[in-house]
Amino acid sequence: MNQLSDYHRERVQAVLAASPLVPVIAIKDPDDAIPLCRALVDGGIRVLEITLRTEHGVRAIEKVRKAIPEAWVGAGTVTSIAQYRQVESAGAQFVITPGVTEAILEFGVTSEAPLLPGVSTVSELMMGYALGYREFKFFPAEVAGGIPALKAFSGPFPDVVFCPTGGISRQTARDYLALPNVRAVGGSWLTPAEAIAGKDWPAVSDIARGSLGDL
């Protein structure tokens, strides 16, 4: 059984260290990809998780990677190895999944783009742990137990850290980040639908800047 390399872990650690807040980005209009991501970066966000929740995700990753080279640009909501390969080809610098399968975990061990696997239970965490993973996405965070669950995980797994996502708000982000085993949090409040629909990019920058200032 292959084990996760130091290279992969260092890359994931670098992503989590680059920004305490990770926006969950779903591109509905392909023309929005670059200005939206630029607005987030202008607001101080350095990690961009562009999800595959819409048909424009892969292309958006490719465009944003070229347009905003100073940011970490990765793929979220990756649910199959076929999608993993697609986003790697598009230039994704990291991959985030909502959950795990043995196949995806094993593929991530040797992939070019390092994997932050999504877990919601101790059993899923143990699957990844056996392969050398020590950094995980905790999803859906609020539904799966929130802060009390993360505190409980720290007992048997003191060397594991998380990026919780799902149901976290600007108001609760700070509480999650106060936990010793949380390195970053993900959220969709950083990409409000109303501002995007109105192409109000300064508002997106203001929300990002204000959210970072709250921490």
Side-chain angles (χ1 to χ4, degrees):
M1 184 186 294
N2 289 324
Q3 286 282 310
L4 198 70
S5 70
D6 289 341
Y7 164 79
H8 281 76
R9 285 206 58 207
E10 287 165 5
R11 287 285 298 276
V12 168
Q13 289 166 356
V15 171
L16 296 179
S19 178
L21 302 179
V22 180
V24 178
I25 303 166
I27 300 297
K28 294 181 179 178
D29 179 346
D31 291 338
D32 289 344
I34 291 174
L36 170 59
C37 290
R38 171 56 67 191
L40 288 163
V41 171
D42 287 348
I45 301 294
R46 293 290 176 264
V47 176
L48 305 169
E49 178 193 347
I50 298 176
T51 69
L52 301 193
R53 296 180 184 182
T54 73
E55 61 184 317
H56 307 299
V58 175
R59 180 70 180 122
I61 290 166
E62 193 173 11
K63 289 167 61 177
V64 173
R65 274 281 282 130
K66 291 174 181 173
I68 313 177
E70 67 270 28
W72 287 93
V73 181
T77 324
V78 173
T79 59
S80 69
I81 290 173
Q83 287 182 330
Y84 205 134
R85 290 194 172 108
Q86 272 189 304
V87 298
E88 276 190 315
S89 296
Q93 294 169 288
F94 60 90
V95 169
I96 302 178
T97 60
V100 292
T101 63
E102 285 186 27
I104 283 180
L105 286 169
E106 289 171 2
F107 187 83
V109 167
T110 56
S111 65
E112 178 63 29
L115 173 63
L116 184 70
V119 299
S120 61
T121 67
V122 170
S123 296
E124 293 167 330
L125 191 159
M126 288 173 67
M127 285 172 56
Y129 195 94
L131 292 172
Y133 291 93
R134 297 294 183 269
E135 289 79 25
F136 294 89
K137 169 181 175 172
F138 181 49
F139 177 83
E142 285 287 285
V143 173
I147 288 172
L150 288 164
K151 287 180 177 178
F153 285 161
S154 68
F157 302 101
D159 56 341
V160 168
V161 298
F162 297 93
C163 174
T165 303
I168 298 173
S169 67
R170 178 172 173 174
Q171 290 71 36
T172 59
R174 184 176 181 177
D175 296 331
Y176 275 91
L177 287 165
L179 299 176
N181 61 346
V182 170
R183 291 291 176 273
V185 300
S188 55
W189 84 87
L190 292 160
T191 52
E194 192 173 302
I196 294 170
K199 302 191 187 301
D200 189 352
W201 310 127
V204 173
S205 296
D206 287 344
I207 290 167
R209 197 174 294 111
S211 296
L212 288 168
D214 292 342
L215 303 180

